[in-house]
Amino acid sequence: MQKIDLNGKTILVTGAAGFVGSNLVKRLFQDVKDAAIIGIDNMNDYYDVSLKEWRLKELEQLSLNSQLSTFNFIQGDIADKATIDDIFEQYHPAVVVNLAAQAGVRYSITNPDAYIQSNLIGFYNILEACRNYPVEHLVYASSSSVYGSNKKIPYSTDDKVDNPVSLYAATKKSNELMAHAYSKLYNIPSTGLRFFTVYGPAGRPDMAYFGFTNKLVKGDTIQIFNFGNCKRDFTYVDDIVEGVVRIMQGAPEKKTGEDGLPIPPYAVYNIGNNQPENLLTFVDILQQELIRAKVLPEDYDFEAHKKLVPMQPGDVPVTYADTSALEHDYGYKPSTSLRDGLRAFAEWYADFYQK
């Protein structure tokens, strides 16, 4: 592994106004000295833009007060090649973290164009720029959805992942294949991260915990898919960010094979909690924490507001991460409990929406 000191480096974070991206930039402000952090986001309206604007405002505030690093935000789309080329030409980032993507399994069924633009063309533009303006490390978001309906659990990065059950999953697997080709051809150190159901304060409203909360507050009924027989490896956003920061600092080593050609400096890791939780347990803890944070009244009739329904197209019954490789290579394993994570979300929600 090639150690990378992030201090004094130029770091490009795509999707910087997104959930994981904004939390990563926040963390870099805390930990990294004299870095020039460049953020890009297209600020699209896939979900409430005011949330992205709030995250961005927070980052701009932090950058004003930061004695350590600078932050420069560019509103633009990674699918626009000229924009990406301009950024690389102007700033020459040493480390690139590509988190910009069209997310969501169900949305990919009705809006496939968005996924081809952002996840395939956008990622291709990033790879091309990394080839033309060599970087020390490209880190990019993949997804647990690449495992499709794999029967073997926990999911290991050694498993075959050739059977995606959504276009979203197919684009994420494509990212891994494209990165491998560029690592092999151009010796670009790249690491893909398969995120498992990320949640936390100021998250994405299309995620179950956030959508459930919005509906319960309005008195609507929430639908629990697969009649509640779903398990998810819920991963708290700070745990994801910790993993990303560690991996940014350790790039796959460049080596030459017996044929004199590069052995691709390429790796893929799972980042998950390594502890799948039943959806009904998850919803029960969420309800308790929403009552504790006074988002819901104490006498809320939860049973009257939930409905068990069949599985949705593109969904899988279980996600479960084998994180042993991450532990072995980077000494890291996510550890935030579901209750602690949902408590932080409920307190943020009360503060953001109700004050």
Side-chain angles (χ1 to χ4, degrees), residues 167-188:
L167 179 66
Y168 171 64
T171 62
K172 286 301 185 180
K173 173 60 181 167
S174 301
N175 286 174
E176 296 178 7
L177 294 170
M178 291 159 78
H180 187 279
Y182 271 73
S183 289
K184 173 68 178 166
L185 290 168
Y186 310 113
N187 220 10
I188 299 167

Side-chain angles (χ1 to χ4, degrees), residues 104-112 115 165-168 312-315:
V105 167
R106 288 182 202 131
Y107 191 69
S108 72
I109 296 167
T110 51
N111 294 274
Y115 292 77
V165 296
S166 68
L167 179 66
Y168 171 64
Q312 291 290 285
D315 266 2

Side-chain angles (χ1 to χ4, degrees), residues 33-283:
K33 290 187 180 129
D34 302 320
I37 303 164
I38 313 301
I40 179 171
D41 202 294
N42 66 2
M43 303 296 283
N44 71 25
D45 60 359
Y46 167 62
Y47 61 78
D48 184 2
V49 181
S50 68
L51 255 179
K52 297 178 186 183
E53 288 166 346
W54 181 82
R55 295 183 196 128
L56 207 50
K57 213 169 277 177
E58 222 186 8
L59 295 182
E60 282 161 356
Q61 206 53 51
L62 283 171
S63 74
L64 288 175
N65 300 328
S66 175
Q67 304 302 308
L68 300 177
S69 296
T70 61
F71 178 59
N72 188 0
F73 178 74
I74 295 153
Q75 184 165 345
D77 197 319
I78 62 166
D80 179 13
K81 197 171 193 319
T83 298
I84 293 303
D85 289 346
D86 285 351
I87 289 170
F88 275 75
E89 193 174 340
Q90 187 177 345
Y91 297 103
H92 289 272
V95 178
V96 176
V97 185
N98 186 60
L99 301 170
Q102 180 56 62
V105 167
R106 288 182 202 131
Y107 191 69
S108 72
I109 296 167
T110 51
N111 294 274
D113 278 8
Y115 292 77
I116 301 303
Q117 284 300 317
S118 187
N119 302 9
L120 294 186
I121 295 168
F123 191 57
Y124 160 73
N125 290 340
I126 295 288
L127 288 169
E128 270 292 281
C130 290
R131 168 167 85 97
N132 294 321
Y133 303 91
V135 298
E136 292 178 43
H137 197 187
L138 166 63
V139 181
Y140 62 94
S142 184
S143 164
S144 63
S145 67
V146 301
Y147 290 106
S149 48
N150 269 22
K151 296 288 183 280
K152 177 188 155 289
I153 52 172
Y155 296 155
S156 162
T157 49
D158 296 329
D159 297 342
K160 272 181 73 111
V161 287
D162 297 335
N163 301 295
V165 296
S166 68
L167 179 66
Y168 171 64
T171 62
K172 286 301 185 180
K173 173 60 181 167
S174 301
N175 286 174
E176 296 178 7
L177 294 170
M178 291 159 78
H180 187 279
Y182 271 73
S183 289
K184 173 68 178 166
L185 290 168
Y186 310 113
N187 220 10
I188 299 167
S190 73
T191 305
L193 304 176
R194 293 176 179 171
F195 294 161
F196 280 70
T197 317
V198 191
Y199 74 102
R204 282 184 13 225
D206 64 316
M207 296 294 279
Y209 70 101
F210 207 134
F212 285 170
T213 303
N214 286 340
K215 285 188 169 172
L216 293 170
V217 165
K218 288 183 199 155
D220 295 343
T221 300
I222 63 170
Q223 295 187 328
I224 301 174
F225 295 113
N226 204 27
F227 305 105
N229 298 315
C230 274
K231 285 192 163 185
R232 290 286 177 268
D233 208 341
F234 295 102
T235 318
Y236 189 60
V237 66
D238 289 1
D239 287 345
I240 290 279
V241 167
E242 175 66 34
V244 173
V245 170
R246 288 191 187 213
I247 282 165
M248 286 167 73
Q249 297 173 82
E253 214 168 330
K254 294 182 179 183
K255 291 178 185 166
T256 305
E258 289 171 9
D259 57 2
L261 296 170
I263 295 169
Y266 168 89
V268 173
Y269 293 93
N270 287 334
I271 301 193
N273 218 26
N274 193 228
Q275 197 178 332
E277 301 275 0
N278 187 285
L279 200 49
L280 287 172
T281 307
F282 172 81
V283 167

Side-chain angles (χ1 to χ4, degrees), residues 313-333:
D315 266 2
V316 294
V318 180
T319 63
Y320 182 5
D322 176 350
T323 55
S324 53
L326 185 68
E327 232 176 311
H328 177 271
D329 293 354
Y330 292 90
Y332 181 60
K333 183 180 179 180

